[in-house]
Amino acid sequence: MERPIRVLVAKPGLDGHDRGAKVIARALRDAGMEVIYTGLRQTPEQIVEAAIQEDVDVVALSILSGAHNTLFPKITKLLKERGAEDILVIGGGVIPEEDIPFLKEHGIAEIFTPGTPTSAVIEYIKANVKRLAKK
Amino acid sequence: MMELEKLLLNRDKRAIARAITYAEDDEEKAREIIRKLYKRSGNAYIVGITGPPGVGKSTLTDRLVKNLVEEGKKIGIIAVDPTSPFTGGSILGDRIRMQDLTTHPNVYIRSMGTRGHLGGLSKGTYMAVRILDIAGMDYVFVETVGVGQSEVDIIKIADTVVMVLAPGLGDDIQAIKAGIMEIADVFVVNKSDREGADKTVLELNMMLDLDMPKEWRPPVVKAVAQEGKGIGEVLEKIHSHKEYLISSGQLEERRKNRIKMEITESVKNKLMKDVFAKMGNEEFDQKIQKVMAKEIDPYTVAEALYRQILERRE
Ligand SMILES: Nc1nc2c(ncn2[C@@H]2O[C@H](COP(=O)(O)OP(=O)(O)OP(=O)(O)O)[C@@H](O)[C@H]2O)c(=O)[nH]1
Ligand SMILES: [Mg+2]
């Protein structure tokens, strides 16, 4: 059997609900991926540690609190420090257009704003996941 | 590879993670690692945590492990959840209850999907346990969902099996009676803050007393994992079961059986790989056609295939 893509769906920051994260988690599962879901209020350190221990191919971050400009780059920086910069990091949630270039500069591969169909996220992951071939 | 092995022995989490990925995806590589480091294995005590969905297995595991790390123990946790047979996907959510342990230096947690493997474990689980054992963990906890007789493989892996239940699972207790009762070494009635806990404990005890007298009578412990209640007692029972296994010679027996299983599984997987490789070609298609036309029967084809594989291996 072919190896499923492993994705960590994480919710950094302090905002209190995870509806969006759950929707994306289910969509990725239905697309045949193995989704590791870690729950609410994760610190960047916890997210990176979980990504390493789970040896995931993708980290999908969901955020509503507006703290993406500090939290997202912190996560990519920590991943780099651990030698795990080959993990594909994507983000979603309420993120203003004008913040997107900054986030991409800091290692977030793609940002999905509200209203993006989940199928677009799935296709993006399938087309851009890096670690499958490497092994 | 050399580097990975060295890091593994240093309990480097990335190295452990990669080795377990091999166990899941590339058995050959995982086998190579285990083969080289096998002498280092055999020191971890393996605890299975099983029971129906949602009874608090992950919460209980989190609490038990928190107690053990306070004593300086090193712990590996493997949480197995079912993979959807239709999509091949899964949501593995056990980490939600173990958030505080995520960054603990002496704890490693891994979620696994069953990926079509029956029995409640995944094909890679056994090797993953071995890898954690080799990495020097004092305990390895394996959480699986167990509701029926088809999900009792946990007993093949664990030294002590903890069956977690909750009040108000009347029908589930019936299911347990029907076959998986035998696999539990310790019963935990979790969510004892809810009504009906004493009744569940009573029912279990009655069931256990009706059972044939055994050297080890599984104890029944009440717990409220969410509030950390009863955790010490559960650990105590795990420890006394361990002592019983050692003094009665059962531990050796269990481990011997496990080695046997490991060997058969390994042979089976290797053979299966060859079988599937053979089945891909045109010659095989033609044979199927012949069976369809009743020129030959499936067993003759199977026998020939088996011989072919054996000859090639010699
Ligand atoms: N009332 C009460 N709730 C609890 C207790 N322990 C756990 N829970 C809650 O029960 C729910 C399920 O807990 P988990 O630990 O995820 O249960 P599980 O058996 O691991 O679940 P699965 O892995 O999905 O089968 C969570 O909402 C917990 O907070 C308890 O002692 N009392
Ligand atoms: Mg669980």
Side-chain angles (χ1 to χ4, degrees):
Chain A
M1 204 164 84
E2 202 186 315
R3 154 172 210 234
I5 297 173
R6 281 170 69 86
V7 187
L8 182 80
V9 172
K11 188 124 193 2
L14 296 175
D15 53 288
H17 87 80
D18 58 353
R19 216 173 307 135
K22 280 183 174 158
V23 168
I24 192 68
R26 282 192 211 108
L28 298 180
R29 172 198 62 194
D30 293 343
M33 299 182 197
E34 242 167 47
V35 179
I36 294 104
Y37 186 59
T38 49
L40 290 168
R41 297 194 187 86
Q42 296 282 291
T43 65
E45 286 78 10
Q46 284 173 323
I47 291 170
V48 168
E49 194 54 46
I52 301 261
Q53 292 179 24
E54 297 288 353
D55 201 16
V56 293
D57 309 296
V58 183
V59 172
L61 301 168
S62 161
I63 202 161
L64 300 168
S65 63
H68 47 271
N69 281 346
T70 46
L71 292 174
F72 284 12
K74 183 136 192 236
I75 289 165
T76 45
K77 181 170 161 265
L78 287 171
L79 280 171
K80 204 166 175 184
E81 277 171 22
R82 302 285 300 265
E85 64 268 35
D86 51 348
I87 297 177
L88 182 71
V89 183
I90 59 176
V94 186
I95 294 167
E97 283 293 333
E98 64 263 28
D99 289 347
I100 294 177
F102 170 81
L103 293 173
K104 287 194 171 171
E105 256 168 56
H106 285 83
I108 312 297
E110 191 56 276
I111 296 289
F112 299 93
T113 47
T116 315
T118 51
S119 58
V121 181
I122 291 163
E123 265 158 45
Y124 181 83
I125 290 176
K126 285 186 175 164
N128 292 281
V129 65
K130 282 169 260 181
R131 288 171 83 180
L132 278 183
K134 196 182 85 180
K135 275 215 167 171
Chain B
M1 198 53 116
M2 277 300 289
E3 193 56 25
L4 180 68
E5 284 156 20
K6 221 184 290 162
L7 290 167
L8 195 59
L9 293 177
N10 281 327
R11 235 171 303 105
D12 175 85
K13 292 189 186 178
R14 277 206 86 191
I16 297 174
R18 189 46 55 93
I20 293 181
T21 298
Y22 290 148
E24 289 199 288
D25 305 335
D26 191 344
E27 231 188 296
E28 258 341 297
K29 271 196 190 144
R31 226 180 250 164
E32 203 180 306
I33 297 169
I34 293 174
R35 207 185 281 159
K36 281 198 198 140
L37 302 177
Y38 191 75
K39 284 204 184 85
R40 308 270 188 153
S41 76
N43 300 311
Y45 195 76
I46 300 156
V47 180
I49 306 282
T50 193
V55 291
K57 299 178 294 296
S58 302
T59 312
L60 180 71
T61 304
D62 176 71
R63 295 298 180 135
L64 293 172
V65 170
K66 274 181 186 151
N67 269 28
L68 288 167
V69 288
E70 254 168 50
E71 295 169 22
K73 302 290 188 218
K74 303 181 236 12
I75 320 273
I77 302 172
I78 296 174
V80 191
D81 280 314
T83 296
S84 156
F86 305 108
T87 64
S90 51
I91 293 183
L92 314 175
D94 297 307
R95 289 192 88 99
I96 298 172
R97 316 277 168 229
M98 308 181 191
Q99 283 192 21
D100 307 334
L101 291 174
T102 297
T103 47
H104 196 289
N106 287 346
V107 179
Y108 172 92
I109 309 171
R110 179 69 169 238
S111 317
M112 297 177 105
T114 52
R115 297 193 185 175
H117 196 257
L118 300 174
L121 300 176
S122 86
K123 201 173 102 216
T125 309
Y126 195 87
M127 279 185 161
V129 170
R130 268 285 183 241
I131 287 162
L132 289 167
D133 179 9
I134 284 170
M137 299 301 182
D138 298 305
Y139 289 86
V140 178
F141 282 75
V142 184
E143 176 188 337
T144 63
V145 183
V147 273
Q149 293 179 43
S150 59
E151 283 147 328
V152 299
D153 272 4
I154 188 73
I155 198 173
K156 298 186 190 155
I157 260 188
D159 296 317
T160 297
V161 175
V162 178
M163 170 74 67
V164 188
L165 300 166
L169 287 172
D171 290 346
D172 278 304
I173 294 204
Q174 291 308 314
I176 286 157
K177 225 198 242 170
I180 61 174
M181 189 87 173
E182 287 77 13
I183 74 158
D185 301 307
V186 176
F187 284 93
V188 175
V189 176
N190 190 41
K191 304 198 184 183
S192 285
D193 50 328
R194 296 206 176 153
E195 212 175 310
D198 289 324
K199 188 167 161 268
T200 307
V201 172
L202 190 73
E203 274 176 23
L204 278 169
N205 275 324
M206 273 166 53
M207 227 145 65
L208 288 162
D209 287 334
L210 280 176
D211 214 15
M212 286 216 292
K214 276 188 276 187
E215 270 183 67
W216 172 261
R217 159 42 160 103
V220 181
V221 183
K222 271 204 295 190
V224 186
Q226 211 171 23
E227 293 162 21
K229 286 190 189 146
I231 304 306
E233 203 186 340
V234 177
L235 277 176
E236 229 168 75
K237 299 301 179 197
I238 293 172
H239 288 142
S240 32
H241 182 247
K242 179 181 180 182
E243 272 160 33
Y244 157 75
L245 288 179
I246 294 169
S247 64
S248 65
Q250 284 286 318
L251 188 64
E252 213 185 282
E253 196 59 30
R254 282 192 185 200
R255 293 194 166 179
K256 220 194 262 170
N257 284 334
R258 220 177 293 152
I259 292 169
K260 266 190 218 163
M261 180 198 76
E262 210 168 0
I263 295 169
T264 23
E265 283 291 307
S266 182
V267 172
K268 207 163 77 187
N269 291 342
K270 261 179 163 334
L271 278 175
M272 285 316 283
K273 224 166 136 187
D274 285 350
V275 170
F276 284 122
K278 286 262 177 212
M279 284 170 115
N281 63 24
E282 211 173 298
E283 194 192 327
F284 190 74
D285 265 353
Q286 286 165 2
K287 280 194 182 143
I288 304 256
Q289 287 304 326
K290 279 190 184 167
V291 176
M292 296 283 283
K294 304 266 159 62
E295 285 171 39
I296 41 172
D297 63 276
Y299 307 102
T300 309
V301 178
E303 184 69 26
L305 189 66
Y306 179 67
R307 292 207 175 281
Q308 257 182 20
I309 287 165
L310 284 189
E311 271 159 34
R312 218 204 43 200
R313 283 211 167 266
E314 267 157 22

